[in-house]
Amino acid sequence: MNTAQDLAARYVAVWNETDVNARRTAITGLWRPDGRHFVKEREAAGYAALELRVTGSHEKNVRDNGNRFRARPGAQRLRDVVTFTWEMLRGDSETVVAVGLEFLVLDADARIVTDYQFIIT
C-alpha cells in the first residue's frame, strides 16, 4: 500500500503534468471513475470533468504563469482519509504563492472517492 506522502506526491504531480496523455492516465490512477473533486463553488465528477478541472488549473497556474505544485511533508492517513497540504511555488524558486489543504476520502483500493480542496492562501 502507498503511504499517505506517496499519494500526496502523486496527487500534486498530476497538476504539474504537461503531457495530456500522461495527465489522463494519472487521473484514472488516482480517482475512481465516479470520483468527485470540490473546491470553492466548483465540482468535478467523473473522469471527463476531473480532466477538465486539472487541465484548467494546469494551463492557468503552470503553463501560463510558470508555477509548480509540491506536497508539503506530513501527509497523514486515518482509515479511508488522507489529508495533506500543498504549495504552489513560483517557477524554480522557493517563493510560495499559494497554499492548500487536501482532504481525500479513499476506497478500498486507495483511489479517491471524494476530494475536498481548501485554498488557505
Side-chain angles (χ1 to χ4, degrees):
M1 182 185 310
N2 292 330
T3 68
Q5 197 66 46
D6 291 337
L7 178 62
R10 288 176 44 229
Y11 182 92
V12 297
V14 77
W15 302 85
N16 289 320
E17 182 57 60
T18 58
D19 181 84
V20 173
N21 292 321
R23 186 183 312 134
R24 184 174 298 126
T25 299
I27 288 168
T28 61
L30 283 168
W31 280 273
R32 288 176 17 152
D34 60 346
R36 297 164 65 119
H37 168 84
F38 298 93
V39 59
K40 298 182 182 177
E41 68 283 347
R42 290 177 286 193
E43 175 182 353
Y47 289 149
L50 288 164
E51 187 174 349
L52 281 173
R53 166 70 178 115
V54 173
T55 299
S57 174
H58 173 82
E59 289 173 352
K60 174 185 172 190
N61 296 302
V62 178
R63 184 192 71 191
D64 296 348
N65 289 320
N67 298 313
R68 63 188 168 90
F69 294 96
R70 74 174 173 201
R72 286 183 173 173
Q76 299 180 57
R77 181 172 183 168
L78 179 61
R79 298 182 182 260
D80 64 343
V81 172
V82 169
T83 186
F84 65 93
T85 54
W86 51 263
E87 300 171 322
M88 183 171 68
L89 298 103
R90 189 159 321 281
D92 291 330
S93 78
E94 292 297 308
T95 303
V96 176
V97 294
V99 176
L101 169 69
E102 294 300 317
F103 185 93
L104 308 175
V105 181
L106 308 178
D107 68 10
D109 296 320
R111 291 173 72 198
I112 302 168
V113 175
T114 309
D115 169 6
Y116 299 102
Q117 185 177 84
F118 300 91
I119 308 301
I120 298 170
T121 60

